Amino acid sequence: MSAEAANPGATSRRRGRTRLDLRRIGRVALLGPTSRDRLPDAIGHVADAHRAHHPDADLTILHRAYVLAESSHRGQMRKSGEPYITHPLAVTLILAELGAETTTLTAALLHDTVEDTDVTLEQVRSEFGEEVCYLVDGVTKLEKVDYGAAAEPETFRKMLVATGNDVRVMSIKLADRLHNMRTLTVMRPEKQARIARVTRDVLIPLAERLGVQALKTELEDLVFAILHPEEYEHTRALIAADASAGDPLNAIADEVRKVLREAGLAAEVLVRPRHFVSVHRVRLKRGELRGTDFGRLLVLVAEDADCYGVLGELHTCFTPVISEFKDFIAAPKFNLYQSLHTAVASPDGEVAEILIRTHQMHKVAEAGVVALGNPYTPTDGAEPAVEGERADPTRPGWLSRLLEWQESTPDPDTFWTSLRADLAEDREITVFRSDGGTLGLPAGASCVDAAYAQYGETAHRCIGARVNGRLATLSTVLSDGDTVQLLLAHDIGSGPSPEWLDHARTPAARIAITSWLSAHSQDEAPASGGPGGGPQESRPARGSAAPAPGIDTPVPRGAENVIADLPDATVRLAGCCTPVPPDAVTGFAVRGGVVTVHREECPAVGRMQARGREPVGVRWLATGDCRVTLVAESFGRPRLLADLTEAIATAGAAVVSATVEPPSEQRVRHTYTLQLPDAAGLPVLMRAMRAVPGVYDVSRAQHPATA
C-alpha cells in the first residue's frame, strides 16, 4: 500500500503537489487528442509542471511523443485496470515536477514503446532525434531481464552501465519504479515484498547517490509500508496525533522570520515535515518524540554568502546546539547536496533543526542530477565529443568508480554482492592526493583503498604511504581531509598480500586484489609482503609501526644475478627467505612464467616438494649487489632504532624498508630490507648489527608465506 493511500493528508503535508487522477486521465487518453493545435488534456498536467521549471520550453515534441505513445499503447491495460498510457504519463509527470528538461520527458513518454509495442528504435530516432533514442534504448535494455532472484545481478549490472553512460536513464528508471510502487497493491503480497526489497537494497541507495531526494523519500515510505506495516501504522498514528495537537515549529519559524527581517536578510522560512521513515528513525534514536521532531525548518536565500549570514544571526539570537552543525556548502556531499545544518533552542526550550540553503541548492537537493538538465548539450565554444564517448560532467565520482570495477568483475554474483555492500555505505570522505587531486572514498577506507582508487591495478606494487606527511602502513584508516601519498615499488612483479583484503573496504580494491591472488599461485609470497612491508621482506604482524622515517620507494635488485634452467622464465627471489649469493638455492615455477628462487633450507622447499612440485634448477651468475631481509631481536631501550640504522649505514648497506613490531615483554623485533653493494659483506653487516647494545640476535628472515 502506498504512503499516500494510507494517509490521505500525507501529500499536502509533504510537498503540497497534485497527483494524477489516473482513471480520469485514462478515459481522456482513450478518447485521444481532440485537436491538432493544442496539447491533449491528458498531458496538460505534464505541460503545466514542465512550464513551471522551463517557461520557454517548446512543447511540440511532447505533443508528438504523447500521440505516438497513446496510439501505440492503445488497447493495452495495466493490472490495476487503467489504460496503459496512464503509466508513461505518470512517470513523465514525476520527472516534470522535478524539473527535468524536455528531452528526458520525451523519452519518459516513450520509454515502454519499443519494449511493449511495434514502435522501433529507428522510428524513435527518425522522429525525435538521437538523444531521445539513446535514452529510450537505455531504459529498454533495463527492462529485458526480469527482477527474479537469479536475474538481479545481471539486471543491475546493465542498469549501472546504462546509468554511467547517461544518468537520465536512471532518472527515468527511478520514476518508473516510483509509479509502479504507488500502484503495487494489485499484486500478490509476496511479489510486493520482493519488489520492495529490491527497491530498498538497490534503487533507493542509487536515488540517494544521484541526489534525487524527492524520489528517494517517497520510495522509502512506500517500501516501509509494505515491509514493515505495523511500524508504518504506528508512525502514521504518531504523525496524525501531532497534526491535531498543533505544530510548535510554526512558532519557532515565526521567531526566525522576525530575527532575519530585523537583520535585513531576505529569506523564505518554511516548515518542512519529515517523511514517515525519517520520523521512524528519529523515534528509534530518541525514544520519545518531541513536537519539533516531526519536521525541520528550511531557510531559503539568494546567495551563498547569505547562508552564512543567516547562520550567524540564528546562532546569535538563539542558543545553538553545536554538535548538530554541519557545513555541506564548503564540503558538498558526494551526491551534489549542499546545505548548512544546525539546531537551535528557543527561549522556551524547544529545539528545532534548521536547514539553510540557496534556492538553487534546494532545487539540486530535491532533484539531484535531474535538476542539472541535459549534460550533453554543447556549450558555446565547446569542442564536439569524440565519437562513441559521452563525457558526462554531472556523473558523480562514486559512479565512475563503480563503472571501473564492474568491468573487472565477470562473475554476476560477485558483482551483486559488491554492489550491495558499496550501496550500503551511506557516508563518503574526501582525501587529497599529493599532486593536489582528490579521492572520494567510503568512510572507514584505508590506504589500500586509496591506492586502488588512484592507480588501479598499478596499486599491486604499493608498499606504503605517507598520510599527512608521515609514513604509515597500508592498513591505516583514513579520515576526511587527510593528504595521502602512495609509495610504489619499481618491481613490476610485485603483488598484493592476502592480508590486504582485511583492510580493503571498496569493491575496486577487493576485486583487484582477489583477481591478482587468483591469477597467481597461492603458495607464492607476494613481493609486497603485507600492509606495511616492501618487496622481499618479512610480513610484519598486525599493528606494526610505520616504516622508519626517510625510507623511500625501493628499487628491487638481485634477480639479475641468478638464472633458471627454464627458457624465457622471469626469475624472482622469494620474499620468505631472501636468498643472496652464495646461498645454495632452488626454484619452483609459478603462474605467469615466473620462477621463484628459495634458499635450499627454506621450509617452503619441503612443503612444495611434498605437494609434488618439481624443482627448477637455478644458479648464481656472479656475486654483486643484492637485497636481503634481516630480523633483529633486541631488548627495548631509547635510541635503539637510531643506533641500528647507524650500524647498517656504517656497514655500507642501504635501508629499503623497515618495520618495528610493538614491544612484547620488553623485547622488540625489527625487520629490515637492505640493499648491499656486495653479497660477501652480509656476514660483516650481521656482526655489526649484533654489536649494537641491546641486540641479542640477527637472522635472515624466515616466515610461512612461501613459494
Side-chain angles (χ1 to χ4, degrees), residues 34-39 63:
T34 57
S35 67
R36 296 176 177 271
D37 57 351
R38 69 183 183 89
L39 286 173
H63 186 177

Side-chain angles (χ1 to χ4, degrees), residues 341-406:
H341 289 204
T342 190
V344 299
S346 64
D348 59 0
E350 293 282 2
V351 176
E353 295 183 33
I354 303 178
L355 312 177
I356 308 168
R357 58 180 73 142
T358 65
H359 291 278
Q360 176 62 21
M361 291 176 191
H362 181 58
K363 180 180 178 182
V364 174
E366 287 290 287
V369 295
V370 178
L372 300 180
N374 184 350
Y376 307 106
T377 301
T379 57
D380 294 339
E383 296 183 2
V386 179
E387 181 68 24
E389 294 185 0
R390 297 177 67 83
D392 185 350
T394 69
R395 180 194 292 175
W398 64 266
L399 184 54
S400 297
R401 294 198 307 275
L402 291 184
L403 287 168
E404 291 173 1
W405 63 255
Q406 72 85 22

Side-chain angles (χ1 to χ4, degrees), residues 193-260:
R194 179 174 63 81
I195 294 175
R197 282 192 293 269
V198 173
T199 303
R200 176 197 62 192
D201 293 343
V202 177
L203 290 177
I204 288 176
L206 281 174
E208 166 75 15
R209 279 157 172 72
L210 292 173
V212 194
Q213 293 296 320
L215 298 186
K216 178 232 178 188
T217 54
E218 188 173 351
L219 284 172
E220 281 185 330
D221 284 351
L222 294 166
V223 169
F224 185 38
I226 293 172
L227 297 183
H228 306 282
E230 294 181 1
E231 290 91 340
Y232 174 81
E233 286 298 330
H234 181 61
T235 304
R236 185 183 66 83
L238 290 174
I239 293 175
D242 174 69
S244 62
D247 194 346
L249 281 175
N250 282 317
I252 300 177
D254 290 338
E255 295 181 36
V256 170
R257 292 187 188 99
K258 180 180 178 183
V259 166
L260 298 181

Side-chain angles (χ1 to χ4, degrees), residues 40-373:
D41 292 339
I43 200 175
H45 294 271
V46 174
D48 293 342
H50 188 38
R51 280 280 171 83
H53 293 277
H54 304 277
D56 300 326
D58 181 5
L59 302 180
T60 304
I61 190 173
L62 285 180
H63 186 177
R64 291 193 289 111
Y66 170 76
V67 171
L68 177 60
E70 188 278 328
S71 60
S72 60
H73 287 299
R74 187 172 297 174
Q76 296 178 350
M77 307 296 287
R78 304 194 78 217
K79 290 184 178 180
S80 57
E82 287 89 12
Y84 195 87
I85 188 61
T86 59
H87 172 64
L89 274 172
V91 171
T92 307
L93 179 63
I94 291 169
L95 294 169
E97 289 177 333
L98 292 174
E101 37 76 47
T102 309
T103 303
T104 303
L105 300 186
T106 305
L109 280 170
L110 302 170
H111 78 274
D112 278 336
T113 54
V114 174
E115 177 69 14
D116 298 332
T117 74
D118 294 332
V119 176
T120 65
L121 275 177
E122 285 303 321
Q123 184 178 350
V124 173
R125 180 182 289 107
S126 63
E127 293 190 31
F128 301 99
E130 188 63 40
E131 287 296 321
V132 172
C133 177
Y134 188 92
L135 298 179
V136 172
D137 184 39
V139 178
T140 301
K141 288 177 179 176
L142 300 184
E143 301 294 340
K144 288 187 179 296
V145 183
D146 291 334
Y147 284 97
E152 284 171 354
E154 192 59 30
T155 297
F156 288 105
R157 179 194 288 270
K158 292 179 179 179
M159 181 180 296
L160 182 64
V161 173
T163 301
N165 287 335
D166 195 323
V167 293
R168 294 174 294 174
V169 173
M170 179 55 69
S171 301
I172 298 172
K173 183 60 186 178
L174 289 172
D176 174 79
R177 174 52 62 93
L178 176 56
H179 182 244
N180 285 334
M181 289 292 295
R182 288 176 180 173
T183 57
L184 205 59
T185 53
V186 298
M187 295 185 177
R188 300 187 307 275
E190 59 271 20
K191 189 169 185 179
Q192 291 184 41
R194 179 174 63 81
I195 294 175
R197 282 192 293 269
V198 173
T199 303
R200 176 197 62 192
D201 293 343
V202 177
L203 290 177
I204 288 176
L206 281 174
E208 166 75 15
R209 279 157 172 72
L210 292 173
V212 194
Q213 293 296 320
L215 298 186
K216 178 232 178 188
T217 54
E218 188 173 351
L219 284 172
E220 281 185 330
D221 284 351
L222 294 166
V223 169
F224 185 38
I226 293 172
L227 297 183
H228 306 282
E230 294 181 1
E231 290 91 340
Y232 174 81
E233 286 298 330
H234 181 61
T235 304
R236 185 183 66 83
L238 290 174
I239 293 175
D242 174 69
S244 62
D247 194 346
L249 281 175
N250 282 317
I252 300 177
D254 290 338
E255 295 181 36
V256 170
R257 292 187 188 99
K258 180 180 178 183
V259 166
L260 298 181
R261 185 167 54 250
E262 292 175 352
L265 289 169
E268 184 180 359
V269 181
L270 306 172
V271 175
R272 185 176 176 82
R274 293 182 184 272
H275 64 292
F276 287 83
V277 171
S278 181
V279 172
H280 178 67
R281 287 171 180 160
V282 173
R283 183 173 67 86
L284 293 179
K285 177 181 178 182
R286 297 177 181 168
E288 185 176 351
L289 291 172
R290 305 170 302 198
T292 54
D293 288 336
F294 290 90
R296 294 182 288 189
L297 297 185
L298 174 64
V299 181
L300 299 176
V301 295
E303 304 291 340
D304 291 13
D306 295 337
C307 295
Y308 294 97
V310 169
L311 180 70
E313 289 297 326
L314 294 180
H315 283 193
T316 300
C317 300
F318 298 91
T319 302
V321 182
I322 301 302
S323 61
E324 297 293 328
F325 174 69
K326 297 180 180 67
D327 187 347
F328 293 116
I329 295 179
K333 294 179 71 174
F334 60 88
N335 59 2
L336 312 176
Y337 178 86
Q338 286 185 288
S339 187
L340 294 179
H341 289 204
T342 190
V344 299
S346 64
D348 59 0
E350 293 282 2
V351 176
E353 295 183 33
I354 303 178
L355 312 177
I356 308 168
R357 58 180 73 142
T358 65
H359 291 278
Q360 176 62 21
M361 291 176 191
H362 181 58
K363 180 180 178 182
V364 174
E366 287 290 287
V369 295
V370 178
L372 300 180

Side-chain angles (χ1 to χ4, degrees), residues 364-702:
V364 174
E366 287 290 287
V369 295
V370 178
L372 300 180
N374 184 350
Y376 307 106
T377 301
T379 57
D380 294 339
E383 296 183 2
V386 179
E387 181 68 24
E389 294 185 0
R390 297 177 67 83
D392 185 350
T394 69
R395 180 194 292 175
W398 64 266
L399 184 54
S400 297
R401 294 198 307 275
L402 291 184
L403 287 168
E404 291 173 1
W405 63 255
Q406 72 85 22
E407 291 177 357
S408 60
T409 315
D411 178 35
D413 291 329
T414 301
F415 165 79
W416 176 243
T417 302
S418 301
L419 173 62
R420 293 183 62 174
D422 187 84
L423 292 178
E425 299 290 344
D426 58 357
R427 194 167 70 86
E428 185 172 88
I429 63 172
T430 300
V431 298
F432 296 90
R433 305 188 324 215
S434 57
D435 60 4
T438 60
L439 297 172
L441 299 169
S446 67
C447 291
V448 171
D449 299 302
Y452 283 94
Q454 180 171 352
Y455 292 113
E457 292 188 358
T458 304
H460 294 331
R461 298 192 278 120
C462 195
I463 59 168
R466 286 188 174 92
V467 178
N468 300 324
R470 303 186 65 178
L471 284 162
T473 59
L474 291 177
S475 60
T476 301
V477 176
L478 300 170
S479 299
D480 201 24
D482 281 347
T483 298
V484 182
Q485 177 187 2
L486 287 313
L487 306 178
L488 302 180
H490 290 277
D491 180 9
I492 60 174
S494 298
S497 159
E499 191 174 347
W500 287 17
L501 290 171
D502 295 337
H503 312 294
R505 291 289 302 275
T506 60
R510 297 189 63 83
I511 290 172
I513 295 168
T514 303
S515 298
W516 191 94
L517 294 174
S518 298
H520 295 74
S521 172
Q522 293 302 304
D523 295 324
E524 180 183 355
S528 57
Q536 301 176 13
E537 70 174 295
S538 75
R539 184 177 304 153
R542 294 188 188 182
S544 299
I551 299 173
D552 206 346
T553 307
V555 182
R557 294 190 181 179
E560 63 267 28
N561 293 329
V562 65
I563 188 171
D565 297 335
L566 193 66
D568 301 323
T570 300
V571 179
R572 184 162 63 199
L573 304 181
C576 53
C577 56
T578 57
V580 297
D583 292 339
V585 292
T586 187
F588 291 92
V590 296
R591 295 183 184 180
V594 176
V595 172
T596 306
V597 179
H598 296 261
R599 292 159 61 192
E600 288 186 349
E601 63 267 28
C602 177
V605 173
R607 287 195 293 270
M608 300 289 278
Q609 290 176 336
R611 296 174 185 175
R613 300 282 292 274
E614 290 294 329
V616 175
V618 291
R619 61 187 183 278
W620 299 107
L621 292 177
T623 60
D625 64 338
C626 65
R627 176 168 293 182
V628 64
T629 298
L630 300 179
V631 178
E633 306 279 356
S634 62
F635 297 104
R637 67 170 177 83
R639 291 191 53 82
L640 175 62
L641 180 62
D643 291 345
L644 267 171
T645 53
E646 182 179 358
I648 292 170
T650 302
V655 179
V656 174
S657 66
T659 59
V660 181
E661 297 180 17
S664 175
E665 298 180 353
Q666 299 299 316
R667 299 182 181 182
V668 183
R669 177 192 293 263
H670 299 246
T671 303
Y672 295 93
T673 297
L674 307 172
Q675 192 75 37
L676 281 71
D678 193 328
L682 180 59
V684 176
L685 170 64
M686 296 177 68
R687 285 196 297 270
M689 294 176 65
R690 292 192 186 101
V692 174
V695 177
Y696 59 85
D697 188 28
V698 175
S699 60
R700 300 276 290 277
Q702 296 276 1

